[in-house]
Amino acid sequence: MFVWSLILFTGQMAGSPGVATAQEPAPAGDLLRSVPFDRITLTDGSVYYIEPVSPRPLPVYDPAKERAKSKEPEMIEITNGDDGPAKAKRKAVAAKAAEETPSELPIHLFEGEVRDFKVKRITIKRIEYFEDLLLAEGDRYVLARDYARAFECFLRVQSRNPNWTGLSAHVNRLLFAEGSAALLDGDGERGLRLLGELHARQPDFPGLADKLAASYGARIDRAFDLGLYRKGRTILHDLGQLAPSHEVVRNQRTRFIAKARSFSEESEKKSGPERLDALAAALRVWPELEGAGSRYADAFRAVPTLDVAVCDLPRTVGPWVRSPADERVTRLLFLPVLTSDDEESTQGPRPGQLAEGLDSADLGRRLVVRLKPGVPWSDRSRPVSAIDVARGLTDRAESTSPLYNARWADLLERVDAPDDQRVEIRLTRPFLKPAAWLLGPIGPAHAGFDGRVATVRQGRQLVGDGLFRWENTTADHDDLRSDSEGSSAATTKIKRIREVPLPSAKAAVGALIRGEVSLVEHVAPDRVAALAANPELKVGRYARPSLHGIALDGRNPALRNRTLRRGLSYAIDRKTLLDETLLRQPASGLNRTSDGPFPRGSYADAPDVKPLGYDPLLAKMLVAAAQKELGGQPIVLTFVYPALPEAQAIVPKLAEAFRLVGLEVSIEERPQSALEEELRAGKRFDLAYRAVRCDDPTMDAGPSICPGYDAPASAGTIGSVASPRILQLLLQLERAPEFPTAKGLALQIDRECRDELPVIPLWQLEDHYAWRTRLKGPAEVADHLYEGIATWEIEPWFARDPWSH
């Protein structure tokens, strides 16, 4: 290494060829991509880029002390005797001082023939370390709002020296700037996360507390105004952790308490269910409101209320079943003639039905129903009598009635009521299971077709004879109350049911976990295991699986083309969608892909039917062939689906699979009740996702394959069966006089549906419901949601915030 004096050093470096000077481009370029370097400035103004010096940073050097030292006269030490130890000690101290603050600094240039030098510290005006250059560059990026590159600059400093002076302060300023900018840009979650990280690093950062309070306060205001009180309290709690003494925290807490207190005071003016609702509203706003909890418990015991999360509410409530929601609610409001078509129901007075017995004659063409005495209507006008049953059965044969059923209209000859407790039914021909037509709800004969009776003060009131009476329906809930004065409801322990529709499976499960509802009608398949593992919850299973498939409207000429239907089927990877999207685990048990319109393992499931395959290349060829047969025009289809968790997850993927094989498919989500009513009424469609339960294949074959099978003939729904051959078999099945013949036809339908594809089968799924353990009574396996509700019990409870325990 060469050692130069100040004069030689500056003169040689300035004039040496190949040596970088201040006028030449720096070797740094982009600091994020550059090799590390330091920039040194000498007292004569020369600037050089050198390899990073060591140690970093250099010890503090005071030029004044160096100049004073150079002016000190040489000291001649006169000693007497042996002073070796003292002299050695003085030399050691001087050497240590020189080592800690050396007067010369070795440097290495990036270019030039001569690169290694030593320079005296007194000649150095300034050294800019690479780390400081990165910090300054990061600050420039912050000013330019390029926060990602600023973070990269600071991250590179940290990788070189985590304890570099000023690094923490620069990072804090970056967090504050980026967090504030995110809040201004509307990205509140990200902004508050960054500011929260800054609070963890430096709680007293200037302006941080006010910024957090303003941002959190705005989010609390939005949640409060939307009625999302739990979310608002959560945000308030988070703010309280960050700035517990801030004025915004005090004001917002006061606001919540005032709102809850207003509901509590309002409850004092009410009674019964209305008082309970007001107290529940107060506790939803502020669960810790003083005294509200005990008053709520007392009001709940007076009116035990069951809150239920459902997929959908009935569009209109009446003595009919036009959608799954209708079927769920009418069981509570109206009693059927028979609860089942088995022998126990037909030969004895089974609970929950109107019939005391059913007699059959003339090979099943003549039925005599004996009614139970003393079952009152909810308006207390009179008990249920034969005229009510007769009116209900004849209305089902009237094409203008909302109760109309085409098959029943074709089968019914006449209905007579010889006396108040007997109904005689004559059929046009023998029918395999005539009792199956007596399972629907029966409304009062003195009411309109919709089951309502006009009153002076309360308008048209729905009159029923079930355990509950319908109170009202709003956009956000159904309200059903126990008919406590009726003999059939004397043992009902739950006095009120509130059904609340929630938009998604996630929302329903969240409401159950938080305790906002006590029962969930439908649990998505991929959430069953997690809920079953929760000690505060229980999971039940419906006795029959649901069959999922795509209904096809044969009134669309394209869908009457068998080649196109086969192309649709081959485009679907059923197993992958079932395992990876719906179940999120390998299929097992009743959860399996379908190969026909009937449940796997039922008497109508033909064992020799091959599984439906997946072949996208063949599907594309079939679609192209069908398009050519149809004139060469693009095939455009609309795919409607209900707002069910399974359909919401699957239909976009099905539509994409159809597009990949050459179809133009648009999707449309509809409320389940609205969609199912329209389909059953015979409204035209192209493709429709359906989830149905098949109680009896011989009775349900037609409606399972063709949604509008029982609609009036004027709707043209018979033509909506895409396959003429399958329609022929369905009509033969309707007239099968005995079970062996009907079973053989059902098996034949299952076999031929494999190739005819009047419906595109997808899979069958076990359906589950779940409830909180404070609700006692639901069975682990049930035919329907409210089975056995007369004996259910529920304890008062309301959700508390987890941090309040």
Side-chain angles (χ1 to χ4, degrees):
M1 179 176 291
F2 298 92
V3 181
W4 299 81
S5 65
L6 172 62
I7 297 176
L8 292 177
F9 176 80
T10 55
Q12 177 65 28
M13 292 184 67
S16 297
V19 179
T21 66
Q23 287 73 33
E24 297 176 349
D30 183 355
L31 290 179
L32 291 174
R33 298 195 186 97
S34 170
V35 296
F37 68 91
D38 290 340
R39 186 163 59 199
I40 185 171
T41 303
L42 303 182
T43 54
D44 65 349
S46 302
V47 178
Y48 301 94
Y49 295 90
I50 62 175
E51 290 187 356
V53 300
S54 180
R56 307 182 64 77
L58 292 173
V60 178
Y61 180 78
D62 189 352
K65 290 184 178 180
E66 183 67 21
R67 286 192 290 269
K69 181 179 179 182
S70 63
K71 294 178 181 180
E72 290 180 359
E74 185 177 352
M75 301 295 295
I76 301 176
E77 187 173 6
I78 302 176
T79 59
N80 295 319
D82 187 8
D83 60 349
K87 185 175 181 179
K89 183 176 180 181
R90 287 194 297 274
K91 287 183 177 182
V93 171
K96 184 177 181 181
E99 181 180 352
E100 291 179 351
T101 310
S103 61
E104 295 178 343
L105 176 67
I107 64 173
H108 181 80
L109 300 180
F110 280 99
E111 297 180 354
E113 296 179 0
V114 180
R115 300 187 186 185
D116 295 319
F117 298 91
K118 276 188 178 181
V119 59
K120 291 186 177 182
R121 292 285 300 275
I122 197 172
T123 66
I124 299 174
K125 180 179 181 181
R126 180 172 65 253
I127 293 182
E128 296 170 90
Y129 300 104
F130 186 62
E131 290 82 355
D132 290 332
L133 294 174
L134 283 170
L135 294 179
E137 184 77 358
D139 287 343
R140 285 191 289 272
Y141 282 132
V142 170
L143 292 176
R145 299 190 66 173
D146 190 348
Y147 303 114
R149 293 179 68 83
F151 176 77
E152 291 181 33
C153 290
F154 299 155
L155 187 61
R156 190 168 187 188
V157 175
Q158 185 180 30
S159 67
R160 291 180 56 79
N161 188 343
N163 299 319
W164 189 261
T165 303
L167 172 61
S168 179
H170 283 76
V171 172
N172 290 347
R173 289 196 291 271
L174 168 62
L175 290 172
F176 186 77
E178 185 175 2
S180 301
L183 293 175
L184 291 175
D185 293 340
D187 192 353
E189 294 291 337
R190 179 166 160 269
L192 291 176
R193 177 178 57 81
L194 292 169
L195 294 178
E197 183 177 345
L198 173 58
H199 182 273
R201 294 169 58 91
Q202 185 181 348
D204 59 347
F205 189 91
L208 176 60
D210 291 337
K211 180 72 71 173
L212 286 170
S215 303
Y216 274 91
R219 296 182 69 205
I220 295 169
D221 289 338
R222 286 195 296 272
F224 190 94
D225 294 339
L226 293 172
L228 304 175
Y229 301 115
R230 181 184 178 89
K231 181 177 181 180
R233 293 196 309 274
T234 302
I235 300 171
L236 177 58
H237 173 73
D238 293 342
L239 176 59
Q241 298 293 104
L242 300 175
S245 59
H246 200 280
E247 182 181 5
V248 172
V249 176
R250 296 193 298 271
N251 292 343
Q252 292 287 5
R253 184 178 287 114
T254 301
R255 184 184 185 190
F256 275 89
I257 294 174
K259 181 73 172 179
R261 188 171 288 120
S262 68
F263 281 124
S264 179
E265 292 172 353
E266 185 180 343
S267 71
E268 300 299 326
K269 306 173 185 177
K270 299 180 177 180
S271 62
E274 289 72 23
R275 173 180 170 83
L276 176 63
D277 289 345
L279 288 169
L283 292 172
R284 278 196 296 270
V285 176
W286 196 255
E288 303 306 314
L289 183 66
E290 184 177 0
S294 59
R295 295 198 301 275
Y296 170 81
D298 293 339
F300 189 94
R301 293 188 186 96
V303 189
T305 298
L306 174 62
D307 290 300
V308 186
V310 297
C311 298
D312 196 14
L313 298 177
R315 296 181 72 188
T316 54
V317 180
W320 52 66
V321 176
R322 299 182 296 194
S323 68
D326 288 343
E327 184 175 3
R328 183 187 68 243
V329 172
T330 54
R331 292 179 182 274
L332 301 172
L333 303 177
F334 301 96
L335 296 180
V337 178
L338 298 173
T339 57
S340 174
D341 59 0
D342 58 18
E343 186 174 352
E344 182 181 353
S345 297
T346 58
Q347 299 302 321
R350 194 172 189 175
Q353 67 180 31
L354 295 174
E356 193 172 51
L358 174 66
D359 300 322
S360 176
D362 296 341
L363 299 178
R365 292 183 57 186
R366 179 172 175 268
L367 305 176
V368 178
V369 180
R370 291 174 282 108
L371 300 178
K372 296 178 183 177
V375 179
W377 290 110
S378 58
D379 62 352
R380 304 297 174 261
S381 59
R382 58 184 180 82
V384 178
S385 66
I387 190 175
D388 300 306
V389 177
R391 161 79 183 278
L393 295 177
T394 54
D395 278 354
R396 294 177 193 174
E398 294 291 337
S399 60
T400 57
S401 169
L403 287 73
Y404 179 77
N405 185 290
R407 287 181 291 167
W408 176 249
D410 180 62
L411 184 63
L412 181 65
E413 180 178 316
R414 74 171 187 267
V415 180
D416 296 324
D419 56 53
D420 287 346
Q421 302 305 122
R422 253 184 345 125
V423 180
E424 291 188 6
I425 307 168
R426 288 192 174 273
L427 306 180
T428 58
R429 64 180 185 273
F431 192 77
L432 181 62
K433 293 185 176 181
W437 293 108
L438 303 178
L439 305 181
I442 296 295
H446 63 280
F449 70 90
D450 57 357
R452 286 167 169 76
V453 174
T455 61
V456 176
R457 296 183 178 180
Q458 298 179 331
R460 291 176 57 79
Q461 293 293 305
L462 186 68
V463 176
D465 54 0
L467 293 174
F468 290 81
R469 57 183 173 82
W470 179 80
E471 188 68 20
N472 61 64
T473 296
T474 64
D476 58 354
H477 76 275
D478 257 351
D479 195 335
L480 295 88
R481 301 185 184 179
S482 172
D483 192 6
S484 56
E485 298 178 8
S487 59
S488 63
T491 59
T492 303
K493 298 179 180 179
I494 291 179
K495 301 300 181 184
R496 185 182 180 218
I497 297 175
R498 279 169 34 104
E499 292 191 336
V500 182
L502 294 176
S504 65
K506 181 179 179 181
V509 170
L512 180 68
I513 292 175
R514 292 190 300 269
E516 296 171 3
V517 298
S518 300
L519 177 65
V520 171
E521 173 200 15
H522 179 70
V523 177
D526 60 326
R527 300 303 303 271
V528 171
L531 293 184
N534 190 325
E536 296 183 352
L537 306 176
K538 289 187 176 182
V539 177
R541 175 176 60 85
Y542 290 102
R544 288 174 297 280
S546 59
L547 303 178
H548 294 244
I550 303 174
L552 310 175
D553 192 342
R555 291 168 291 186
N556 183 331
L559 293 172
R560 291 191 73 83
N561 186 293
R562 180 171 170 270
T563 303
L564 177 60
R565 300 199 300 271
R566 292 181 63 215
L568 288 170
S569 179
Y570 275 115
I572 302 171
D573 187 357
R574 292 169 174 79
K575 179 170 176 51
T576 299
L577 290 174
L578 177 62
D579 292 352
E580 297 182 3
T581 302
L582 289 181
L583 301 178
R584 303 197 179 183
Q585 62 181 358
S588 61
L590 294 177
N591 296 318
R592 51 199 304 191
T593 57
S594 295
D595 56 16
F598 303 124
R600 300 288 292 271
S602 69
Y603 66 79
D605 180 31
D608 53 347
V609 175
K610 295 181 180 179
L612 294 167
Y614 168 59
D615 190 335
L617 181 58
L618 178 58
K620 193 166 187 177
M621 295 171 61
L622 290 169
V623 169
Q627 186 174 343
K628 186 176 180 180
E629 294 173 9
L630 294 169
Q633 296 298 319
I635 299 176
V636 181
L637 300 173
T638 300
F639 193 175
V640 294
Y641 64 97
L644 294 175
E646 294 86 352
Q648 291 168 333
I650 284 295
V651 168
K653 299 187 180 220
L654 292 175
E656 184 61 28
F658 295 153
R659 295 186 190 109
L660 290 175
V661 299
L663 297 170
E664 296 182 15
V665 178
S666 61
I667 61 176
E668 179 185 349
E669 181 176 312
R670 299 288 309 282
Q672 185 185 25
S673 292
L675 176 60
E676 199 61 30
E677 279 191 27
E678 292 172 358
L679 293 177
R680 297 186 189 188
K683 182 178 179 181
R684 288 179 176 268
F685 65 99
D686 293 333
L687 309 175
Y689 189 102
R690 298 186 74 207
V692 299
R693 290 195 180 98
C694 183
D695 297 330
D696 186 342
T698 59
M699 285 293 295
D700 299 335
S704 296
I705 293 173
C706 172
Y709 195 71
D710 290 322
S714 59
T717 50
I718 291 297
S720 68
V721 180
S723 166
R725 171 58 179 164
I726 297 301
L727 176 59
Q728 179 187 16
L729 291 174
L730 288 174
L731 294 177
Q732 291 177 12
L733 178 62
E734 290 298 321
R735 295 180 177 272
E738 54 188 15
F739 181 73
T741 303
K743 179 180 177 182
L745 286 169
L747 288 169
Q748 188 66 19
I749 290 173
D750 190 62
R751 289 191 189 95
E752 298 201 25
C753 278
R754 168 66 173 76
D755 293 322
E756 290 292 326
L757 293 170
V759 62
I760 306 294
L762 296 175
W763 37 72
Q764 68 176 33
L765 293 175
E766 277 187 328
D767 287 333
H768 295 83
Y769 50 95
W771 68 96
R772 297 194 66 88
T773 53
R774 72 189 187 101
L775 175 63
K776 312 295 182 183
E780 294 186 0
V781 180
D783 289 327
H784 55 86
L785 182 65
Y786 296 121
E787 185 174 309
I789 194 172
T791 60
W792 290 10
E793 298 181 29
I794 189 168
E795 300 172 358
W797 184 88
F798 60 91
R800 296 180 180 272
D801 295 324
W803 55 85
S804 66
H805 297 330

